[in-house]
Every structure is written in C-alpha cells, then in structure tokens.
Amino acid sequence: MNQIPDVLYADQDFTTWLIVGASRGIGLEFVRQLLAKGERIIATVREPWASHASGLWGQAGSDHGRCQMYVCDVLSEDSIAVCVSLHPIICPRTTTIDPLQTFVAQISAIPNLKIDYVVINAGVLRYPNRSTEASFDEFTFHLHTNTIGPIITAQKLLQTHIPIGTIVFMSSDSGSQANFREMEDGFAAYAASKAALNMSLRHMAAELKRKDDDTIILAMHPGEVATDMANVALPWEVQGIITPEESVKMMMNVIQSKGIQHSGTFWTWENKPYAW
C-alpha cells in the first residue's frame, strides 16, 4: 500500500492540490508554482510522457514527499482507477504496491485526507482536425482525452467521498458556442471536445447541488498559452500569447477566489466570466 506522508493529512496546516496531467505545459507549471509556495501536491502524468517531468522529479524528491507523483492515463478507465507510484524518490515512504489495489482505494483508506483543489489539465490537440476531413479515430481521440477522460476522472474522485473543495477543468475559448471562433480552421474535433466538456461539467455541478454536495466545479480558459501543445503552425495570427508562468499564476488566484455560488461557471485566467 502506498503510504502517503503525514503532510498530506487533513489535520495539518496546509493546502493540498491534485494536478491531473502534470508532465508538461500548464500542469507542470502548476506543480512548479505550488512547490515554490510550499503547498502539498498529488500529481499525475501519462506514462508515455513521463520523460517531460524528469526535472520536476528531482525538485519534488528534495522536498521529502511534499509532491506525490503517479502515472495515470485518462484514456483508460482502468488507469484512472489503478494509478501507480511514478518514482521511488518522490515517495520516500512508498512500499511495493499491489497492482490490484486501485488508486482511489489507496487514498480512500487514508484517514482524514482532504483535497482542497483538483485541477484536471489532461488534454490534446492534433492539428488539423477539420469536420470535413477528420477520421472517426481522430474525433474519438479528442473526445476521449479532452471530454470523457477528465469527466470520468472527476467522477471517480467524487465517488471516494474524500472531501474535495474545488474541481477545475481546463477548458478553452474554442469550446464556447456563444463566442464561436470561425477563424479557427482545423479545430473542429478539438472545439467539439471542449464544448462537450463544458456541458458535462455543468451537469456535474447541477447534480452535486441536487445532492447538497458543496464541491465547487469550475471551467477555466487559461488564455493563449505558449506550450508544446500550442506549438503548431496555424493559418491565422494568434493574439495575446502568454507564458505558462503568467497563466498559472493568474489562474491560481481565480480558482482560490471562487465559492459554492460559482459552481458550474466558466472563467478566464483574467478572472472574467466567459460565455458558454
């Protein structure tokens, strides 16, 4: 069984963040900034991209278990439920994990564990993905990674009954139906997956309210962020590009400013409400 260090127990004076999709880009920047702030972190990466997080492993390893890292692929429901410890240096008190023991079962067994903020950042963009050209597999890949995987991840976390303060889904202005971006040639499957994510998380927020569950559900547009995923040649000029550092710093302020009355709403990194 994975022995999560005492610093991740709810009776300690700190804030605990779970970052899903932390190997690179925005997710990796969340972990970097949270480590610098002295927060406590549980982070997941997809195994195929684990090399992107090598620099973070060393930093987290020197923090004596403040950052717990796991492999979890949102394309696989089994992987969401059966995450394994990524690197022994990150979890100095980790023992051999039974592969049959699920990640949710492991964290459910920890007394008094509380997760203040969950950021579900996993996402992909395979460009181009036009409605007139994209294959069945290309559409499916975007929907699985950007919509179904994030929603199922949140679902499994909520089913643990661990107290969770806020769940943030990383959305995009491309997923807004009210502000349709006609110039975004080759974004059909990506935009559709983000629009579907937006609708699904709004239903999740409404369902939780009906159950008197105070977990806050938010959608975030991070801005036009210069990441590996955004490093594609586009046929239009992208305005207002910002760094991951700038985006994450501002998003953390936005996330922490929202209460239960904001559950089921869509915000930009600049703390402006965004149209669905």
Side-chain angles (χ1 to χ4, degrees), residues 12-272:
Q12 303 293 319
D13 185 19
F14 57 77
T15 302
T16 299
W17 292 66
L18 168 57
I19 310 298
V20 177
S23 64
R24 57 181 179 168
I26 291 171
L28 180 58
E29 185 58 33
F30 261 103
V31 177
R32 284 178 175 147
Q33 291 194 25
L34 290 168
L35 283 172
K37 287 177 174 289
E39 305 288 13
R40 314 307 177 186
I41 307 146
I42 303 171
T44 76
V45 300
R46 289 181 61 197
E47 191 169 11
W49 306 107
S51 61
H52 290 276
S54 59
L56 177 62
W57 297 343
Q59 182 180 0
S62 67
D63 284 317
H64 307 292
R66 276 199 313 114
C67 180
Q68 297 281 306
M69 298 192 70
Y70 297 86
V71 171
C72 187
D73 184 357
V74 300
L75 285 176
S76 165
E77 186 170 3
D78 287 341
S79 180
I80 292 168
V82 189
C83 295
V84 298
S85 176
L86 179 62
H87 197 288
I89 194 171
I90 307 305
C91 309
R93 294 174 54 188
T94 297
T95 56
T96 302
I97 298 174
D98 182 346
L100 297 179
Q101 183 174 16
T102 68
F103 176 62
V104 294
Q106 291 175 51
I107 62 176
S108 296
I110 300 167
N112 302 319
L113 178 64
K114 175 186 176 184
I115 302 174
D116 297 282
Y117 299 99
V118 177
V119 177
I120 302 181
N121 178 63
V124 294
L125 167 62
R126 284 183 178 172
Y127 184 82
N129 48 86
R130 299 181 178 91
S131 288
T132 53
E133 300 172 358
S135 68
F136 187 95
D137 287 343
E138 286 171 336
F139 263 103
T140 300
F141 179 69
H142 282 89
L143 287 167
H144 277 179
T145 310
N146 297 343
T147 310
I148 300 170
I151 292 296
I152 295 298
T153 298
Q155 176 197 108
K156 297 298 182 185
L157 288 168
L158 289 165
Q159 289 172 355
T160 66
H161 302 297
I162 293 169
I164 298 174
T166 299
I167 300 177
V168 180
F169 292 88
M170 208 56 58
S171 188
S172 169
D173 55 355
S174 299
S176 172
Q177 298 181 60
N179 292 336
F180 176 63
R181 297 167 63 83
E182 187 173 354
M183 78 290 192
E184 288 189 339
D185 177 42
F187 268 50
Y190 175 79
S193 69
K194 290 298 186 179
L197 173 66
N198 288 348
M199 184 58 72
S200 297
L201 70 89
R202 293 180 76 184
H203 275 281
M204 179 173 285
E207 291 162 15
L208 291 174
K209 288 177 182 177
R210 286 192 287 271
K211 296 176 181 178
D212 292 323
D213 187 321
D214 288 338
T215 300
I216 301 163
I217 305 295
L218 300 174
M220 284 292 309
H221 169 44
E224 305 298 339
V225 185
T227 64
D228 290 345
M229 193 176 80
N231 189 24
V232 295
L234 299 174
W236 71 91
E237 183 179 356
V238 179
Q239 302 290 333
I241 295 177
I242 59 176
T243 66
E245 292 84 353
E246 293 171 308
S247 174
V248 169
K249 181 179 179 180
M250 297 177 75
M251 282 196 292
M252 284 200 295
N253 291 332
V254 176
I255 292 165
Q256 292 176 299
S257 73
K258 303 308 173 193
I260 187 60
Q261 71 272 24
H262 300 112
S263 190
T265 55
F266 190 4
W267 297 86
T268 74
W269 79 106
E270 295 177 307
N271 201 20
K272 296 177 181 178

